[in-house]
Amino acid sequence: MQALLVFLAIAALSLLASSRTALDPGRFPALAQLAASGLLFLALGAVVGPGSAGLLEWSDLVAVRPVLALGLGVAGVIVGLNLEPRLLRLLPRAVYAAALAHAGTAFLWVALPLAGPLLFSMGLPPGAAVGAAALLGAAASLSSGHFAVLGYRTGRLERNRGLSVALLTVLDDVVGLGVLALALAFGVKGSVLGGLGLVGLALLLGVACGALLAFLMHGLNDHGELMAVLLGGVALVSGAAAYLRVSTLLAGVACGATLAIIGGRAVGQAARELGRFERPVYLLLVFLVGAHVQARDVMAWALLPGYVGLRFLGKVLGGALARRIAGATLALPPRLGYALIAQGGLALCLVVEYLVLVPGPLSQRVFDVVVAGAVFNELLASRAFRRVLAATPTRASGGAT
């Protein structure tokens, strides 16, 4: 009963935090930032979880694994739907090069130095250590554009600059998902070929479900029917991936990308309707992620400063490189790296997926480092973004008119 009351309270809070009032930066800037990042729900999960206050036990977290899988599936489908083929074809090569530059720089700055401590502190096989270090780098490479979005909504940042930053953060997702596939291939028990087979199975499952959804949605005009079919399809791909013990997130991305490629007008309408569920599902998912935190690992706390510091340097240097590459193509702010410090929710999805599919001390350590790092990175991003605004006062004021 106690666990049920906790989940009902969190579900109610997620609906309240998803309201337009809470997300309006003009009325409540601090509340809008907390609602956009989801840090409050992450902290609540960590507090009530079995690693802290113990209001939720490990058996409770195991019992809600289907809810966790559904949340990861929804996140994956939304990411896949955002990979709109027509838009991606219109983007110049310089945009892709800039996204790869800033994401890849942060990845290398984190993955290479931290591979050694992971390898020698736990006596692991090289493949497992490489996969874990790659996942740390993947989480570090991801950024969130919510500060840029809040900036142009409040008139403090020119709209074109804010949208350009948000575009680069969307392209980061592809890099992170690719490295997740690599980490799962190395981390699964058995051989690398077996791991690649499971990753391929997840992608094939997503493609099959996406094709089935596109067929079922073809010709539908009623919004209720479209949403019923789409939500049923998301539940199908999530449940099937969880049952087969493959990546729900990757299967969802493959499903969403397939819908975006072969779907028609009906898929576009349903995707817009699915956006209504994105915020409450995301906040509930973040709460469940926080509940899996174990705060007693001393080595995780020892790795945390290195992870946060190396990621900060990697983002600053990568942002400077990205601006040099695509500065003539996109309206990027002068101090781009400081706009990319916020980590984003997909990084949490990556590490909780890794924790569920490859359970053990190593995945728990990587998970704890990334989750704690997300909190510190959000605090750093709040101050770092002020330097972005200070560097573009005239353009920001001009964009507000």
Side-chain angles (χ1 to χ4, degrees):
M1 180 59 69
Q2 177 176 274
L4 177 61
L5 292 176
V6 170
F7 285 121
L8 289 177
I10 294 300
L13 286 175
S14 68
L15 292 174
L16 291 175
S18 303
S19 66
R20 293 184 177 181
T21 303
L23 294 173
D24 186 358
R27 294 183 178 181
F28 309 104
L31 181 59
Q33 178 184 336
L34 285 173
S37 64
L39 280 185
L40 180 60
F41 286 79
L42 187 68
L44 283 174
V47 169
V48 305
S52 185
L55 295 179
L56 295 177
E57 300 179 354
W58 287 114
S59 58
D60 299 322
L61 298 183
V62 173
V64 297
R65 283 286 170 83
V67 179
L68 181 63
L70 181 61
L72 290 172
V74 171
V77 170
I78 291 174
V79 170
L81 287 171
N82 288 335
L83 301 177
E84 175 60 43
R86 288 172 294 180
L87 175 62
L88 296 178
R89 284 195 296 266
L90 292 175
L91 293 178
R93 293 182 180 179
V95 176
Y96 291 103
L100 183 61
H102 87 80
T105 302
F107 172 83
L108 293 175
W109 270 75
V110 170
L112 293 180
L114 296 185
L118 288 174
L119 178 62
F120 296 110
S121 66
M122 304 187 71
L124 296 168
V130 168
L135 195 63
L136 282 175
S141 69
L142 298 177
S143 299
S144 173
H146 67 271
F147 276 103
V149 174
L150 292 176
Y152 77 70
R153 283 182 178 175
T154 55
R156 297 183 299 163
L157 184 68
E158 187 181 13
R159 180 180 176 85
N160 288 340
R161 294 186 185 274
L163 291 176
S164 297
V165 173
L167 175 61
L168 289 183
T169 60
V170 170
L171 295 178
D172 288 350
D173 298 347
V174 179
V175 177
L177 291 168
V179 180
L180 171 63
L182 174 66
L184 292 176
F186 277 99
V188 71
K189 294 182 179 179
S191 64
V192 176
L193 290 178
L196 289 174
L198 292 178
V199 171
L201 178 60
L203 296 177
L204 183 61
L205 174 65
V207 171
C209 290
L212 176 62
L213 272 178
F215 173 76
L216 294 176
M217 296 170 67
H218 180 71
L220 292 180
N221 295 316
D222 184 74
H223 289 285
E225 291 181 350
L226 283 173
M227 281 307 302
V229 173
L230 182 58
L231 291 177
V234 173
L236 173 64
V237 68
S238 303
Y243 176 77
L244 295 174
R245 295 286 298 171
V246 297
S247 173
T248 308
L249 185 62
L250 293 177
V253 171
C255 178
T258 303
L259 279 173
I261 292 172
I262 67 176
R265 179 179 55 86
V267 172
Q269 293 177 354
R272 288 189 291 272
E273 294 293 329
L274 185 62
R276 298 182 180 181
F277 298 89
E278 180 179 1
R279 290 299 306 171
V281 171
Y282 168 72
L283 294 177
L284 182 60
L285 176 61
V286 169
F287 169 78
L288 291 176
V289 170
H292 286 79
V293 169
Q294 284 287 340
R296 300 183 180 91
D297 188 355
V298 177
M299 189 60 187
W301 288 105
L303 290 172
L304 180 61
Y307 172 80
V308 173
L310 291 170
R311 181 183 183 274
F312 187 90
L313 292 175
K315 281 297 178 182
V316 171
L317 295 176
L321 181 59
R323 191 172 187 275
R324 179 175 298 181
I325 294 173
T329 306
L330 294 176
L332 297 172
R335 296 174 177 175
L336 174 61
Y338 292 99
L340 302 171
I341 304 302
Q343 190 145 1
L346 187 60
L348 302 177
C349 295
L350 295 183
V351 291
V352 77
E353 182 90 282
Y354 186 67
L355 179 66
V356 171
L357 294 177
V358 193
L362 176 62
S363 56
Q364 183 68 55
R365 180 168 296 174
V366 170
F367 175 84
D368 291 342
V369 170
V370 173
V371 172
V375 176
F376 284 99
N377 286 326
E378 187 72 19
L379 297 176
L380 285 173
S382 179
R383 301 185 64 86
F385 196 72
R386 298 174 189 174
R387 303 193 65 178
V388 179
L389 299 177
T392 55
T394 304
R395 289 182 179 270
S397 60
T401 58

